């Protein structure tokens, strides 16, 4: 895939800054990391550049780019749900920025909330308020 456009990278930086301001001290914000969805032999996790285990994630956030729509909305959504990642947020920035929060519902995979524009506020998996309009 082509590298993300400047708008995508600016939105990513803004999301990270807003998350960092709300994040409990026991958590950290990382971007562009490989996630072990329990299909990679365990010895590769740290020995070959290190990947995070899905069980170490609290929330996975995908910022949709042109060309990544199917991957983010279908493939990664299914893989993260199968791996047990408790929360998955998909952020769209094409028109007015919007966020769809998904939470893991056991054998049913993810259940999606309605898309949110303006301000996204939640207490799960930690209290956070994101000003989505600052992404666009």
């Amino acid at each position: 895939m082509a590298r993300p456009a400047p708008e995508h990278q600016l939105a990513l930086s803004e999301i990270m800054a807003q998350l960092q301001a709300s994040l409990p001290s026991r958590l950290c914000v990382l971007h562009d990391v490989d996630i072990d969805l329990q299909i990679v032999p365990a010895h590769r996790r740290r020995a070959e550049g290190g990947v995070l285990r899905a069980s170490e994630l609290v929330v996975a956030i995908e910022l949709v780019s042109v060309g990544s729509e199917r991957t983010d909305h279908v493939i990664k959504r299914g893989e993260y749900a199968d791996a047990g990642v408790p929360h998955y947020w998909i952020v769209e920035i094409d028109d007015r920025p919007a966020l769809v929060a998904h939470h893991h519902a056991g054998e049913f995979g993810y259940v999606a909330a309605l898309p949110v524009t303006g301000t996204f506020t939640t207490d799960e998996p930690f209290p956070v308020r994101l000003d989505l309009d600052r992404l666009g």
Side-chain angles (χ1 to χ4, degrees):
M1 288 183 113
R3 293 214 181 265
E7 302 82 32
H8 179 100
Q9 294 194 32
L10 289 169
L12 175 61
S13 294
E14 183 61 37
I15 289 171
M16 291 181 65
Q18 290 187 45
L19 284 173
Q20 194 64 47
S22 300
L23 210 57
S25 61
R26 63 183 166 75
L27 299 175
C28 65
V29 178
L30 299 174
H31 73 92
D32 201 20
V33 295
D34 291 327
I35 306 300
D36 176 7
L37 301 173
Q38 284 72 43
I39 58 175
V40 175
H43 70 277
R44 284 195 52 208
R45 275 196 275 280
R46 303 284 184 237
E48 295 181 20
V51 296
L52 294 174
R53 284 177 243 142
S55 61
E56 296 176 282
L57 293 175
V58 174
V59 59
I61 304 170
E62 292 293 341
L63 185 57
V64 178
S65 296
V66 173
S68 75
E69 297 91 344
R70 178 167 167 61
T71 299
D72 296 336
H73 286 280
V74 178
I75 297 169
K76 287 185 179 181
R77 184 180 190 267
E79 289 177 346
Y80 291 160
D82 289 348
V85 175
H87 298 272
Y88 181 53
W89 299 347
I90 299 175
V91 180
E92 301 267 0
I93 60 170
D94 281 344
D95 296 319
R96 183 171 186 200
L99 186 150
V100 176
H102 300 76
H103 71 273
H104 202 272
E107 66 185 64
F108 300 106
Y110 285 128
V111 173
L114 294 173
V116 174
T117 58
T119 302
F120 171 74
T121 306
T122 187
D123 288 326
E124 293 295 327
F126 51 86
V128 67
R129 180 183 177 278
L130 298 175
D131 181 352
L132 301 173
D133 288 333
R134 293 183 62 183
L135 306 181

